[in-house]
Amino acid sequence: MIKNLNYNYHDAIRETISLQHTDLLLTISLYPIYYRNQQQVQLMISGITNIINCEKWVSEVISICQEENEASLGARINEIYLDKNNKNQLLVSIDYIKTVKLNFEYFKEILKPTTCS
């Protein structure tokens, strides 16, 4: 069971999103004010049990991000956090999209290596 998240996702940008069966992969660019090296994190959320809600949410995220100007900017994350009463429930809040609660079996944050420009 996860106790806390390793990163602050406020004002981060959702770069990619992929849903395969019950596994969700989010790639997020962390907010450069908090993380100066343009770091990216991949969130691996596996064994999602409320998959219908997740599928609807993923479709909405993709739809919003394909609209004018959003496609190039990604989607701004308001917050990502674990439910304080249920550590197997992740809440994700993205601008203009209803917050989703993801019930999961496995969760991992992976810091991607940064590349120097």
Side-chain angles (χ1 to χ4, degrees):
M1 180 180 345
I2 301 166
K3 295 186 181 182
N4 293 306
L5 299 178
N6 295 319
Y7 304 98
N8 178 346
Y9 293 100
H10 179 69
D11 282 341
I13 301 295
R14 191 275 320 160
E15 297 290 345
T16 64
I17 190 167
S18 171
L19 180 63
Q20 297 289 324
H21 304 289
T22 62
D23 301 333
L24 180 67
L25 180 65
L26 285 167
T27 302
I28 297 168
S29 291
L30 298 173
Y31 189 46
I33 297 296
Y34 302 136
Y35 303 96
R36 301 218 182 269
N37 295 330
Q38 298 179 336
Q39 294 171 303
Q40 285 191 340
V41 173
Q42 283 189 324
L43 299 183
M44 294 175 47
I45 308 157
S46 299
I48 296 171
T49 57
N50 57 336
I51 194 65
I52 293 172
N53 288 345
C54 183
E55 288 171 340
K56 289 178 185 176
W57 180 78
V58 168
S59 294
E60 191 173 353
V61 170
I62 291 169
S63 173
I64 291 289
C65 292
Q66 288 176 344
E67 291 179 4
E68 190 175 0
N69 294 330
E70 286 292 349
S72 62
L73 298 175
R76 190 189 75 83
I77 295 168
N78 188 32
E79 61 185 333
I80 296 176
Y81 59 97
L82 293 168
D83 186 302
K84 62 183 174 184
N85 298 316
N86 180 355
K87 295 297 184 180
N88 279 24
Q89 188 173 74
L90 186 74
L91 290 92
V92 183
S93 173
I94 293 179
D95 281 355
Y96 311 112
I97 300 170
K98 185 177 177 181
T99 298
V100 69
K101 294 179 183 180
L102 301 173
N103 301 319
F104 63 89
E105 294 174 4
Y106 176 78
F107 175 84
K108 186 172 184 179
E109 295 170 286
I110 302 168
L111 182 64
K112 293 177 71 176
T114 58
T115 56
C116 298
S117 321

